[in-house]
PDB file of all heavy atoms in Angstrom:
ATOM      1  N   ASP A   1      28.944  35.151  35.855  1.00 41.00           N
ATOM      2  CA  ASP A   1      29.411  35.020  37.206  1.00 41.00           C
ATOM      3  C   ASP A   1      28.690  33.788  37.956  1.00 41.00           C
ATOM      4  O   ASP A   1      29.292  33.076  38.669  1.00 41.00           O
ATOM      5  CB  ASP A   1      29.193  36.263  38.083  1.00 41.00           C
ATOM      6  CG  ASP A   1      30.240  37.285  37.744  1.00 41.00           C
ATOM      7  OD1 ASP A   1      31.179  36.910  36.963  1.00 41.00           O
ATOM      8  OD2 ASP A   1      30.141  38.501  38.155  1.00 41.00           O
ATOM      9  N   GLY A   2      27.286  33.680  37.653  1.00 37.00           N
ATOM     10  CA  GLY A   2      26.527  32.703  38.395  1.00 37.00           C
ATOM     11  C   GLY A   2      26.949  31.398  38.028  1.00 37.00           C
ATOM     12  O   GLY A   2      26.372  30.376  38.572  1.00 37.00           O
ATOM     13  N   ALA A   3      27.518  31.187  36.835  1.00 36.00           N
ATOM     14  CA  ALA A   3      27.766  29.798  36.288  1.00 36.00           C
ATOM     15  C   ALA A   3      28.960  29.192  36.896  1.00 36.00           C
ATOM     16  O   ALA A   3      29.362  28.100  36.473  1.00 36.00           O
ATOM     17  CB  ALA A   3      27.752  29.890  34.783  1.00 36.00           C
ATOM     18  N   LEU A   4      29.664  29.808  37.805  1.00 38.00           N
ATOM     19  CA  LEU A   4      30.986  29.270  38.220  1.00 38.00           C
ATOM     20  C   LEU A   4      30.709  28.193  39.243  1.00 38.00           C
ATOM     21  O   LEU A   4      31.493  27.137  39.263  1.00 38.00           O
ATOM     22  CB  LEU A   4      31.845  30.383  38.898  1.00 38.00           C
ATOM     23  CG  LEU A   4      32.265  31.511  38.013  1.00 38.00           C
ATOM     24  CD1 LEU A   4      32.937  32.542  38.721  1.00 38.00           C
ATOM     25  CD2 LEU A   4      33.145  30.830  36.804  1.00 38.00           C
ATOM     26  N   ALA A   5      29.755  28.227  40.190  1.00 42.00           N
ATOM     27  CA  ALA A   5      29.654  27.225  41.186  1.00 42.00           C
ATOM     28  C   ALA A   5      28.592  26.219  40.746  1.00 42.00           C
ATOM     29  O   ALA A   5      27.599  26.502  40.210  1.00 42.00           O
ATOM     30  CB  ALA A   5      29.110  27.907  42.467  1.00 42.00           C
ATOM     31  N   ALA A   6      28.968  24.994  41.078  1.00 48.00           N
ATOM     32  CA  ALA A   6      27.894  23.891  40.735  1.00 48.00           C
ATOM     33  C   ALA A   6      27.526  23.216  42.154  1.00 48.00           C
ATOM     34  O   ALA A   6      28.294  23.011  42.988  1.00 48.00           O
ATOM     35  CB  ALA A   6      28.686  22.781  39.952  1.00 48.00           C
ATOM     36  N   PRO A   7      26.201  22.752  42.196  1.00 60.00           N
ATOM     37  CA  PRO A   7      25.802  22.092  43.412  1.00 60.00           C
ATOM     38  C   PRO A   7      26.474  20.756  43.549  1.00 60.00           C
ATOM     39  O   PRO A   7      26.843  20.159  42.523  1.00 60.00           O
ATOM     40  CB  PRO A   7      24.225  22.078  43.213  1.00 60.00           C
ATOM     41  CG  PRO A   7      24.079  22.033  41.757  1.00 60.00           C
ATOM     42  CD  PRO A   7      25.181  22.892  41.206  1.00 60.00           C
ATOM     43  N   GLY A   8      26.263  20.336  44.767  1.00 75.00           N
ATOM     44  CA  GLY A   8      26.780  18.903  44.953  1.00 75.00           C
ATOM     45  C   GLY A   8      28.210  18.696  45.517  1.00 75.00           C
ATOM     46  O   GLY A   8      28.910  19.729  45.562  1.00 75.00           O
ATOM     47  N   CYS A   9      28.530  17.569  45.784  1.00 84.00           N
ATOM     48  CA  CYS A   9      29.930  17.313  46.402  1.00 84.00           C
ATOM     49  C   CYS A   9      31.013  17.767  45.467  1.00 84.00           C
ATOM     50  O   CYS A   9      30.980  17.362  44.289  1.00 84.00           O
ATOM     51  CB  CYS A   9      29.933  15.730  46.616  1.00 84.00           C
ATOM     52  SG  CYS A   9      31.734  15.120  46.881  1.00 84.00           S
ATOM     53  N   PRO A  10      31.970  18.556  45.882  1.00 88.00           N
ATOM     54  CA  PRO A  10      32.976  19.094  45.057  1.00 88.00           C
ATOM     55  C   PRO A  10      34.101  18.129  44.692  1.00 88.00           C
ATOM     56  O   PRO A  10      34.929  18.302  43.941  1.00 88.00           O
ATOM     57  CB  PRO A  10      33.618  20.099  45.891  1.00 88.00           C
ATOM     58  CG  PRO A  10      33.278  19.885  47.248  1.00 88.00           C
ATOM     59  CD  PRO A  10      32.008  19.081  47.262  1.00 88.00           C
ATOM     60  N   PHE A  11      34.029  16.879  45.356  1.00 91.00           N
ATOM     61  CA  PHE A  11      35.057  15.823  45.090  1.00 91.00           C
ATOM     62  C   PHE A  11      34.509  14.557  44.656  1.00 91.00           C
ATOM     63  O   PHE A  11      35.119  13.464  44.818  1.00 91.00           O
ATOM     64  CB  PHE A  11      35.947  15.603  46.526  1.00 91.00           C
ATOM     65  CG  PHE A  11      36.531  16.770  46.983  1.00 91.00           C
ATOM     66  CD1 PHE A  11      36.025  17.240  48.285  1.00 91.00           C
ATOM     67  CD2 PHE A  11      37.497  17.519  46.394  1.00 91.00           C
ATOM     68  CE1 PHE A  11      36.640  18.436  48.790  1.00 91.00           C
ATOM     69  CE2 PHE A  11      38.146  18.594  46.875  1.00 91.00           C
ATOM     70  CZ  PHE A  11      37.723  19.119  48.039  1.00 91.00           C
ATOM     71  N   CYS A  12      33.334  14.572  44.051  1.00 88.00           N
ATOM     72  CA  CYS A  12      32.605  13.370  43.515  1.00 88.00           C
ATOM     73  C   CYS A  12      32.425  13.412  42.037  1.00 88.00           C
ATOM     74  O   CYS A  12      32.171  14.416  41.551  1.00 88.00           O
ATOM     75  CB  CYS A  12      31.141  13.289  44.271  1.00 88.00           C
ATOM     76  SG  CYS A  12      31.228  13.061  46.037  1.00 88.00           S
ATOM     77  N   PRO A  13      32.569  12.275  41.462  1.00 84.00           N
ATOM     78  CA  PRO A  13      32.319  12.178  39.969  1.00 84.00           C
ATOM     79  C   PRO A  13      30.914  12.347  39.746  1.00 84.00           C
ATOM     80  O   PRO A  13      29.966  12.267  40.534  1.00 84.00           O
ATOM     81  CB  PRO A  13      32.776  10.739  39.659  1.00 84.00           C
ATOM     82  CG  PRO A  13      32.708  10.080  40.845  1.00 84.00           C
ATOM     83  CD  PRO A  13      32.831  10.899  41.960  1.00 84.00           C
ATOM     84  N   PRO A  14      30.559  12.820  38.408  1.00 81.00           N
ATOM     85  CA  PRO A  14      29.062  12.858  38.114  1.00 81.00           C
ATOM     86  C   PRO A  14      28.487  11.459  38.334  1.00 81.00           C
ATOM     87  O   PRO A  14      29.083  10.426  38.011  1.00 81.00           O
ATOM     88  CB  PRO A  14      29.209  13.120  36.631  1.00 81.00           C
ATOM     89  CG  PRO A  14      30.530  13.694  36.274  1.00 81.00           C
ATOM     90  CD  PRO A  14      31.531  13.152  37.261  1.00 81.00           C
ATOM     91  N   SER A  15      27.266  11.511  38.725  1.00 81.00           N
ATOM     92  CA  SER A  15      26.540  10.297  39.041  1.00 81.00           C
ATOM     93  C   SER A  15      25.304  10.014  38.186  1.00 81.00           C
ATOM     94  O   SER A  15      24.612  11.119  37.806  1.00 81.00           O
ATOM     95  CB  SER A  15      26.180  10.237  40.597  1.00 81.00           C
ATOM     96  OG  SER A  15      25.344  11.227  40.918  1.00 81.00           O
ATOM     97  N   GLN A  16      24.897   8.844  38.044  1.00 87.00           N
ATOM     98  CA  GLN A  16      23.619   8.518  37.409  1.00 87.00           C
ATOM     99  C   GLN A  16      22.460   8.912  38.298  1.00 87.00           C
ATOM    100  O   GLN A  16      22.668   9.104  39.413  1.00 87.00           O
ATOM    101  CB  GLN A  16      23.592   7.135  37.092  1.00 87.00           C
ATOM    102  CG  GLN A  16      24.742   6.571  36.144  1.00 87.00           C
ATOM    103  CD  GLN A  16      24.669   7.215  34.848  1.00 87.00           C
ATOM    104  OE1 GLN A  16      23.437   7.275  34.220  1.00 87.00           O
ATOM    105  NE2 GLN A  16      25.686   7.605  34.283  1.00 87.00           N
ATOM    106  N   PRO A  17      21.232   8.976  37.675  1.00 93.00           N
ATOM    107  CA  PRO A  17      20.100   9.183  38.485  1.00 93.00           C
ATOM    108  C   PRO A  17      20.008   8.164  39.727  1.00 93.00           C
ATOM    109  O   PRO A  17      20.305   6.977  39.514  1.00 93.00           O
ATOM    110  CB  PRO A  17      18.851   9.038  37.623  1.00 93.00           C
ATOM    111  CG  PRO A  17      19.527   9.419  36.214  1.00 93.00           C
ATOM    112  CD  PRO A  17      20.872   8.738  36.355  1.00 93.00           C
ATOM    113  N   THR A  18      19.589   8.687  40.894  1.00 96.00           N
ATOM    114  CA  THR A  18      19.603   7.781  42.029  1.00 96.00           C
ATOM    115  C   THR A  18      18.176   7.050  41.907  1.00 96.00           C
ATOM    116  O   THR A  18      17.395   7.308  41.243  1.00 96.00           O
ATOM    117  CB  THR A  18      19.557   8.596  43.382  1.00 96.00           C
ATOM    118  OG1 THR A  18      18.466   9.444  43.503  1.00 96.00           O
ATOM    119  CG2 THR A  18      20.860   9.502  43.483  1.00 96.00           C
ATOM    120  N   LEU A  19      18.152   6.115  42.798  1.00 97.00           N
ATOM    121  CA  LEU A  19      16.989   5.242  42.728  1.00 97.00           C
ATOM    122  C   LEU A  19      15.673   6.040  43.228  1.00 97.00           C
ATOM    123  O   LEU A  19      14.623   5.843  42.476  1.00 97.00           O
ATOM    124  CB  LEU A  19      17.074   4.074  43.660  1.00 97.00           C
ATOM    125  CG  LEU A  19      18.092   2.946  43.181  1.00 97.00           C
ATOM    126  CD1 LEU A  19      18.237   1.892  44.459  1.00 97.00           C
ATOM    127  CD2 LEU A  19      17.705   2.253  41.979  1.00 97.00           C
ATOM    128  N   SER A  20      15.860   6.965  44.069  1.00 96.00           N
ATOM    129  CA  SER A  20      14.748   7.745  44.489  1.00 96.00           C
ATOM    130  C   SER A  20      14.340   8.754  43.357  1.00 96.00           C
ATOM    131  O   SER A  20      13.222   9.099  43.263  1.00 96.00           O
ATOM    132  CB  SER A  20      15.057   8.559  45.759  1.00 96.00           C
ATOM    133  OG  SER A  20      16.085   9.492  45.607  1.00 96.00           O
ATOM    134  N   GLU A  21      15.228   9.203  42.665  1.00 96.00           N
ATOM    135  CA  GLU A  21      14.987  10.041  41.494  1.00 96.00           C
ATOM    136  C   GLU A  21      14.244   9.185  40.392  1.00 96.00           C
ATOM    137  O   GLU A  21      13.341   9.797  39.755  1.00 96.00           O
ATOM    138  CB  GLU A  21      16.298  10.551  40.925  1.00 96.00           C
ATOM    139  CG  GLU A  21      16.928  11.743  41.801  1.00 96.00           C
ATOM    140  CD  GLU A  21      18.214  12.239  41.244  1.00 96.00           C
ATOM    141  OE1 GLU A  21      18.953  11.530  40.518  1.00 96.00           O
ATOM    142  OE2 GLU A  21      18.598  13.393  41.493  1.00 96.00           O
ATOM    143  N   LYS A  22      14.731   8.038  40.111  1.00 96.00           N
ATOM    144  CA  LYS A  22      13.971   7.257  39.158  1.00 96.00           C
ATOM    145  C   LYS A  22      12.524   6.861  39.608  1.00 96.00           C
ATOM    146  O   LYS A  22      11.670   6.869  38.744  1.00 96.00           O
ATOM    147  CB  LYS A  22      14.765   5.949  38.863  1.00 96.00           C
ATOM    148  CG  LYS A  22      16.125   6.102  38.238  1.00 96.00           C
ATOM    149  CD  LYS A  22      16.822   4.663  37.978  1.00 96.00           C
ATOM    150  CE  LYS A  22      16.280   4.097  36.861  1.00 96.00           C
ATOM    151  NZ  LYS A  22      17.005   2.895  36.352  1.00 96.00           N
ATOM    152  N   VAL A  23      12.419   6.700  40.894  1.00 96.00           N
ATOM    153  CA  VAL A  23      11.004   6.522  41.402  1.00 96.00           C
ATOM    154  C   VAL A  23      10.166   7.715  41.083  1.00 96.00           C
ATOM    155  O   VAL A  23       9.086   7.612  40.565  1.00 96.00           O
ATOM    156  CB  VAL A  23      11.008   6.157  42.872  1.00 96.00           C
ATOM    157  CG1 VAL A  23       9.634   6.157  43.395  1.00 96.00           C
ATOM    158  CG2 VAL A  23      11.699   4.779  43.078  1.00 96.00           C
ATOM    159  N   ALA A  24      10.704   8.887  41.459  1.00 95.00           N
ATOM    160  CA  ALA A  24       9.943  10.114  41.242  1.00 95.00           C
ATOM    161  C   ALA A  24       9.683  10.355  39.737  1.00 95.00           C
ATOM    162  O   ALA A  24       8.581  11.023  39.553  1.00 95.00           O
ATOM    163  CB  ALA A  24      10.780  11.247  41.804  1.00 95.00           C
ATOM    164  N   GLU A  25      10.411   9.848  38.812  1.00 95.00           N
ATOM    165  CA  GLU A  25      10.339  10.230  37.469  1.00 95.00           C
ATOM    166  C   GLU A  25       9.468   9.212  36.699  1.00 95.00           C
ATOM    167  O   GLU A  25       9.153   9.324  35.527  1.00 95.00           O
ATOM    168  CB  GLU A  25      11.672  10.298  36.763  1.00 95.00           C
ATOM    169  CG  GLU A  25      12.474  11.535  37.291  1.00 95.00           C
ATOM    170  CD  GLU A  25      13.956  11.495  36.788  1.00 95.00           C
ATOM    171  OE1 GLU A  25      14.213  10.456  36.138  1.00 95.00           O
ATOM    172  OE2 GLU A  25      14.724  12.404  37.070  1.00 95.00           O
ATOM    173  N   SER A  26       9.108   8.059  37.446  1.00 95.00           N
ATOM    174  CA  SER A  26       8.445   6.976  36.764  1.00 95.00           C
ATOM    175  C   SER A  26       6.956   6.933  36.929  1.00 95.00           C
ATOM    176  O   SER A  26       6.478   7.327  38.079  1.00 95.00           O
ATOM    177  CB  SER A  26       9.010   5.659  37.247  1.00 95.00           C
ATOM    178  OG  SER A  26      10.432   5.580  36.965  1.00 95.00           O
ATOM    179  N   ASP A  27       6.107   6.447  35.980  1.00 94.00           N
ATOM    180  CA  ASP A  27       4.747   6.113  36.134  1.00 94.00           C
ATOM    181  C   ASP A  27       4.437   4.849  36.900  1.00 94.00           C
ATOM    182  O   ASP A  27       3.499   4.617  37.503  1.00 94.00           O
ATOM    183  CB  ASP A  27       4.080   6.193  34.933  1.00 94.00           C
ATOM    184  CG  ASP A  27       3.998   7.508  34.126  1.00 94.00           C
ATOM    185  OD1 ASP A  27       4.112   8.493  34.748  1.00 94.00           O
ATOM    186  OD2 ASP A  27       4.226   7.403  32.859  1.00 94.00           O
ATOM    187  N   MET A  28       5.545   3.992  36.749  1.00 94.00           N
ATOM    188  CA  MET A  28       5.387   2.584  37.271  1.00 94.00           C
ATOM    189  C   MET A  28       6.734   2.134  37.852  1.00 94.00           C
ATOM    190  O   MET A  28       7.706   2.234  37.251  1.00 94.00           O
ATOM    191  CB  MET A  28       4.955   1.601  36.149  1.00 94.00           C
ATOM    192  CG  MET A  28       3.605   2.062  35.462  1.00 94.00           C
ATOM    193  SD  MET A  28       3.516   1.071  33.946  1.00 94.00           S
ATOM    194  CE  MET A  28       4.652   2.043  32.819  1.00 94.00           C
ATOM    195  N   VAL A  29       6.629   1.598  39.103  1.00 96.00           N
ATOM    196  CA  VAL A  29       7.734   1.034  39.679  1.00 96.00           C
ATOM    197  C   VAL A  29       7.238  -0.214  40.325  1.00 96.00           C
ATOM    198  O   VAL A  29       6.430  -0.359  41.183  1.00 96.00           O
ATOM    199  CB  VAL A  29       8.308   1.961  40.858  1.00 96.00           C
ATOM    200  CG1 VAL A  29       9.454   1.229  41.583  1.00 96.00           C
ATOM    201  CG2 VAL A  29       8.562   3.370  40.479  1.00 96.00           C
ATOM    202  N   VAL A  30       7.680  -1.390  39.771  1.00 97.00           N
ATOM    203  CA  VAL A  30       7.159  -2.700  39.930  1.00 97.00           C
ATOM    204  C   VAL A  30       8.279  -3.671  40.304  1.00 97.00           C
ATOM    205  O   VAL A  30       9.270  -3.775  39.661  1.00 97.00           O
ATOM    206  CB  VAL A  30       6.492  -3.224  38.667  1.00 97.00           C
ATOM    207  CG1 VAL A  30       5.810  -4.518  38.894  1.00 97.00           C
ATOM    208  CG2 VAL A  30       5.356  -2.186  38.257  1.00 97.00           C
ATOM    209  N   LEU A  31       8.041  -4.432  41.396  1.00 97.00           N
ATOM    210  CA  LEU A  31       8.897  -5.490  41.691  1.00 97.00           C
ATOM    211  C   LEU A  31       8.548  -6.753  41.076  1.00 97.00           C
ATOM    212  O   LEU A  31       7.336  -7.166  41.176  1.00 97.00           O
ATOM    213  CB  LEU A  31       9.047  -5.824  43.342  1.00 97.00           C
ATOM    214  CG  LEU A  31       9.912  -6.823  43.661  1.00 97.00           C
ATOM    215  CD1 LEU A  31      11.329  -6.429  43.615  1.00 97.00           C
ATOM    216  CD2 LEU A  31       9.649  -7.127  45.203  1.00 97.00           C
ATOM    217  N   VAL A  32       9.389  -7.437  40.264  1.00 97.00           N
ATOM    218  CA  VAL A  32       9.056  -8.501  39.445  1.00 97.00           C
ATOM    219  C   VAL A  32      10.070  -9.656  39.714  1.00 97.00           C
ATOM    220  O   VAL A  32      11.185  -9.449  40.311  1.00 97.00           O
ATOM    221  CB  VAL A  32       9.101  -8.210  38.024  1.00 97.00           C
ATOM    222  CG1 VAL A  32       7.990  -7.176  37.738  1.00 97.00           C
ATOM    223  CG2 VAL A  32      10.539  -7.756  37.521  1.00 97.00           C
ATOM    224  N   GLN A  33       9.735 -10.879  39.380  1.00 97.00           N
ATOM    225  CA  GLN A  33      10.660 -12.043  39.380  1.00 97.00           C
ATOM    226  C   GLN A  33      10.798 -12.634  37.948  1.00 97.00           C
ATOM    227  O   GLN A  33       9.851 -12.604  37.202  1.00 97.00           O
ATOM    228  CB  GLN A  33      10.264 -13.069  40.321  1.00 97.00           C
ATOM    229  CG  GLN A  33       8.861 -13.667  40.082  1.00 97.00           C
ATOM    230  CD  GLN A  33       8.520 -14.765  41.232  1.00 97.00           C
ATOM    231  OE1 GLN A  33       9.357 -14.984  41.975  1.00 97.00           O
ATOM    232  NE2 GLN A  33       7.354 -15.279  41.106  1.00 97.00           N
ATOM    233  N   TRP A  34      11.947 -12.981  37.767  1.00 96.00           N
ATOM    234  CA  TRP A  34      12.315 -13.561  36.273  1.00 96.00           C
ATOM    235  C   TRP A  34      11.542 -14.776  36.070  1.00 96.00           C
ATOM    236  O   TRP A  34      11.576 -15.786  37.007  1.00 96.00           O
ATOM    237  CB  TRP A  34      13.883 -13.665  36.236  1.00 96.00           C
ATOM    238  CG  TRP A  34      14.369 -14.055  34.861  1.00 96.00           C
ATOM    239  CD1 TRP A  34      14.740 -13.102  33.937  1.00 96.00           C
ATOM    240  CD2 TRP A  34      14.556 -15.340  34.199  1.00 96.00           C
ATOM    241  NE1 TRP A  34      15.148 -13.820  32.767  1.00 96.00           N
ATOM    242  CE2 TRP A  34      14.928 -15.080  32.945  1.00 96.00           C
ATOM    243  CE3 TRP A  34      14.318 -16.661  34.633  1.00 96.00           C
ATOM    244  CZ2 TRP A  34      15.377 -16.188  32.121  1.00 96.00           C
ATOM    245  CZ3 TRP A  34      14.473 -17.594  33.791  1.00 96.00           C
ATOM    246  CH2 TRP A  34      15.044 -17.508  32.639  1.00 96.00           C
ATOM    247  N   VAL A  35      10.998 -14.994  34.846  1.00 96.00           N
ATOM    248  CA  VAL A  35      10.440 -16.216  34.471  1.00 96.00           C
ATOM    249  C   VAL A  35      11.107 -17.066  33.358  1.00 96.00           C
ATOM    250  O   VAL A  35      11.494 -18.091  33.529  1.00 96.00           O
ATOM    251  CB  VAL A  35       8.842 -15.917  34.087  1.00 96.00           C
ATOM    252  CG1 VAL A  35       8.155 -17.285  33.610  1.00 96.00           C
ATOM    253  CG2 VAL A  35       8.104 -15.368  35.251  1.00 96.00           C
ATOM    254  N   GLU A  36      11.247 -16.339  32.371  1.00 94.00           N
ATOM    255  CA  GLU A  36      12.044 -16.913  31.160  1.00 94.00           C
ATOM    256  C   GLU A  36      12.372 -15.737  30.207  1.00 94.00           C
ATOM    257  O   GLU A  36      11.782 -14.657  30.129  1.00 94.00           O
ATOM    258  CB  GLU A  36      11.169 -17.919  30.514  1.00 94.00           C
ATOM    259  CG  GLU A  36       9.906 -17.308  29.798  1.00 94.00           C
ATOM    260  CD  GLU A  36       9.216 -18.477  29.048  1.00 94.00           C
ATOM    261  OE1 GLU A  36       9.547 -19.604  29.029  1.00 94.00           O
ATOM    262  OE2 GLU A  36       7.972 -18.185  28.697  1.00 94.00           O
ATOM    263  N   SER A  37      13.304 -16.048  29.275  1.00 91.00           N
ATOM    264  CA  SER A  37      13.652 -15.142  28.248  1.00 91.00           C
ATOM    265  C   SER A  37      13.745 -16.101  26.915  1.00 91.00           C
ATOM    266  O   SER A  37      14.045 -17.240  26.966  1.00 91.00           O
ATOM    267  CB  SER A  37      15.014 -14.477  28.493  1.00 91.00           C
ATOM    268  OG  SER A  37      16.067 -15.456  28.778  1.00 91.00           O
ATOM    269  N   GLN A  38      13.543 -15.427  25.798  1.00 88.00           N
ATOM    270  CA  GLN A  38      13.550 -16.149  24.505  1.00 88.00           C
ATOM    271  C   GLN A  38      14.324 -15.238  23.506  1.00 88.00           C
ATOM    272  O   GLN A  38      14.238 -13.944  23.553  1.00 88.00           O
ATOM    273  CB  GLN A  38      12.210 -16.438  24.022  1.00 88.00           C
ATOM    274  CG  GLN A  38      11.421 -17.240  24.908  1.00 88.00           C
ATOM    275  CD  GLN A  38       9.922 -17.435  24.454  1.00 88.00           C
ATOM    276  OE1 GLN A  38       9.575 -17.007  23.242  1.00 88.00           O
ATOM    277  NE2 GLN A  38       9.098 -18.008  25.223  1.00 88.00           N
ATOM    278  N   SER A  39      14.976 -15.877  22.566  1.00 81.00           N
ATOM    279  CA  SER A  39      15.631 -15.152  21.436  1.00 81.00           C
ATOM    280  C   SER A  39      15.912 -16.123  20.351  1.00 81.00           C
ATOM    281  O   SER A  39      15.977 -17.423  20.577  1.00 81.00           O
ATOM    282  CB  SER A  39      16.840 -14.377  22.021  1.00 81.00           C
ATOM    283  OG  SER A  39      17.896 -15.405  22.244  1.00 81.00           O
ATOM    284  N   ASP A  40      16.255 -15.638  19.064  1.00 72.00           N
ATOM    285  CA  ASP A  40      16.684 -16.529  18.072  1.00 72.00           C
ATOM    286  C   ASP A  40      18.098 -16.855  18.250  1.00 72.00           C
ATOM    287  O   ASP A  40      18.943 -15.964  18.327  1.00 72.00           O
ATOM    288  CB  ASP A  40      16.384 -15.763  16.726  1.00 72.00           C
ATOM    289  CG  ASP A  40      16.686 -16.640  15.554  1.00 72.00           C
ATOM    290  OD1 ASP A  40      17.346 -17.607  15.633  1.00 72.00           O
ATOM    291  OD2 ASP A  40      16.148 -16.291  14.396  1.00 72.00           O
ATOM    292  N   PRO A  41      18.399 -18.047  18.319  1.00 70.00           N
ATOM    293  CA  PRO A  41      19.840 -18.400  18.561  1.00 70.00           C
ATOM    294  C   PRO A  41      20.824 -17.901  17.428  1.00 70.00           C
ATOM    295  O   PRO A  41      21.876 -17.712  17.664  1.00 70.00           O
ATOM    296  CB  PRO A  41      19.916 -19.993  18.690  1.00 70.00           C
ATOM    297  CG  PRO A  41      18.558 -20.442  18.413  1.00 70.00           C
ATOM    298  CD  PRO A  41      17.564 -19.260  18.260  1.00 70.00           C
ATOM    299  N   ASN A  42      20.228 -17.763  16.160  1.00 69.00           N
ATOM    300  CA  ASN A  42      21.102 -17.271  15.070  1.00 69.00           C
ATOM    301  C   ASN A  42      21.132 -15.771  15.067  1.00 69.00           C
ATOM    302  O   ASN A  42      21.965 -15.175  14.510  1.00 69.00           O
ATOM    303  CB  ASN A  42      20.396 -17.754  13.816  1.00 69.00           C
ATOM    304  CG  ASN A  42      20.578 -19.227  13.631  1.00 69.00           C
ATOM    305  OD1 ASN A  42      21.530 -19.871  14.058  1.00 69.00           O
ATOM    306  ND2 ASN A  42      19.428 -19.957  13.176  1.00 69.00           N
ATOM    307  N   ASP A  43      20.107 -15.095  15.757  1.00 69.00           N
ATOM    308  CA  ASP A  43      20.127 -13.568  15.777  1.00 69.00           C
ATOM    309  C   ASP A  43      19.491 -13.234  17.127  1.00 69.00           C
ATOM    310  O   ASP A  43      18.284 -13.005  17.216  1.00 69.00           O
ATOM    311  CB  ASP A  43      19.341 -13.059  14.614  1.00 69.00           C
ATOM    312  CG  ASP A  43      19.415 -11.532  14.497  1.00 69.00           C
ATOM    313  OD1 ASP A  43      20.010 -10.933  15.471  1.00 69.00           O
ATOM    314  OD2 ASP A  43      18.927 -10.977  13.557  1.00 69.00           O
TER     315      ASP A  43
END
């Protein structure tokens, strides 16, 4: 009986973790700026 109701908006699709949830679950939250990227052009 208790499994019938689910919390949250009844008209919303399933959502990914929110930013605040990701903050709470992380050891590190760091603002960075892009410098460069490298890869093998053949692979």
Side-chain angles (χ1 to χ4, degrees):
D1 283 351
L4 294 174
C9 166
F11 302 114
C12 300
S15 60
Q16 297 296 319
T18 64
L19 292 171
S20 65
E21 287 175 331
K22 294 185 72 172
V23 168
E25 295 168 357
S26 299
D27 297 325
M28 299 163 286
V29 185
V30 181
L31 181 68
V32 299
Q33 60 182 356
W34 190 91
V35 177
E36 63 177 357
S37 59
Q38 300 176 7
S39 66
D40 185 338
N42 298 317
D43 186 359

